[in-house]
Amino acid sequence: NAKHAKGNDFEVKLKKDQATASVVGMMGGVDIGGAVKPHVYRLAKGYESKIVKTKDQIIQIKDQIESTETAKEQVSEDIDVINEKIASCQEDFESSKERLESEIKGKQRQLELLDTKISSLNDPEGVESTIEKYNAEYKQLQVQQQKEEKEHISNKKAVA
């Protein structure tokens, strides 16, 4: 019951003695070795060539992946170094900023004191009061000096 036999019954009989003598005859006159082998050989060579190309492409891709990973690691290290430098610069900046702000405040205080002295010197009454203040301090120091000299003399007499 062959599918395309159209109701006919066909029978295939193989003759063993002829099979060894002629394969071409047994295959209905088709020289399998001569006709099919070259096609199979070309097909195999074509696939072999494609396999070699594919292997070369895989090797190239692996090399690219390796060099990309190496470059990625280098870039990552460079980024870490740059981040460390940024942090160091920020610390230096903050330190310098604090120092300069402190110096500026000190200079501003000195400037305010000088402004006060200048304004007091420009005021004649202020000059007189400053002179009187220094004269009073001078008199106090003279009195204290005389007192200490008397004590010194009395200590000398007491020791002698």
Side-chain angles (χ1 to χ4, degrees), residues 53-66:
K53 287 179 184 177
T54 304
K55 284 182 179 180
D56 287 344
Q57 288 175 344
I58 289 172
I59 289 170
Q60 288 176 350
I61 291 171
K62 284 182 178 180
D63 288 345
Q64 288 175 347
I65 289 172
E66 186 177 315

Side-chain angles (χ1 to χ4, degrees), residues 119-137:
S119 64
S120 70
L121 291 174
N122 287 336
D123 179 18
E125 293 176 9
V127 172
E128 288 179 20
S129 66
T130 305
I131 291 173
E132 288 176 15
K133 181 177 108 180
Y134 286 134
N135 282 336
E137 284 180 26

Side-chain angles (χ1 to χ4, degrees), residues 3-18:
K3 188 176 185 179
H4 299 290
K6 297 181 184 175
N8 296 323
D9 284 333
F10 293 101
E11 183 177 334
V12 176
K13 290 184 184 180
L14 296 175
K15 296 180 184 176
K16 291 183 182 179
D17 59 331
Q18 285 183 352

Side-chain angles (χ1 to χ4, degrees), residues 30-160:
V30 176
D31 180 14
I32 300 261
V36 175
K37 245 183 185 178
H39 291 295
V40 170
Y41 181 76
R42 273 184 268 139
L43 185 64
K45 284 292 183 187
Y47 277 113
E48 191 176 300
S49 172
K50 286 182 182 179
I51 288 172
V52 169
K53 287 179 184 177
T54 304
K55 284 182 179 180
D56 287 344
Q57 288 175 344
I58 289 172
I59 289 170
Q60 288 176 350
I61 291 171
K62 284 182 178 180
D63 288 345
Q64 288 175 347
I65 289 172
E66 186 177 315
S67 67
T68 302
E69 287 175 352
T70 302
K72 177 187 156 213
E73 290 172 5
Q74 183 62 44
V75 167
S76 179
E77 290 173 8
D78 291 346
I79 288 172
D80 290 342
V81 168
I82 290 169
N83 284 337
E84 289 173 7
K85 286 181 180 179
I86 288 172
S88 174
C89 287
Q90 285 176 334
E91 289 173 8
D92 291 346
F93 165 75
E94 289 299 325
S95 172
S96 295
K97 180 182 172 186
E98 289 174 9
R99 181 181 48 79
L100 289 173
E101 285 176 349
S102 174
E103 288 177 9
I104 288 172
K105 286 180 183 176
K107 298 293 181 184
Q108 284 175 335
R109 274 182 258 136
Q110 288 177 354
L111 184 61
E112 288 171 1
L113 289 173
L114 289 173
D115 282 343
T116 304
K117 285 182 180 180
I118 289 171
S119 64
S120 70
L121 291 174
N122 287 336
D123 179 18
E125 293 176 9
V127 172
E128 288 179 20
S129 66
T130 305
I131 291 173
E132 288 176 15
K133 181 177 108 180
Y134 286 134
N135 282 336
E137 284 180 26
Y138 177 70
K139 287 179 184 178
Q140 282 180 334
L141 290 172
Q142 280 182 333
V143 169
Q144 185 178 354
Q145 182 183 9
Q146 288 173 356
K147 186 177 177 184
E148 288 176 2
E149 282 178 2
K150 287 179 184 177
E151 286 178 19
H152 181 63
I153 290 172
S154 65
N155 286 338
K156 262 185 167 181
K157 287 181 183 178
V159 173

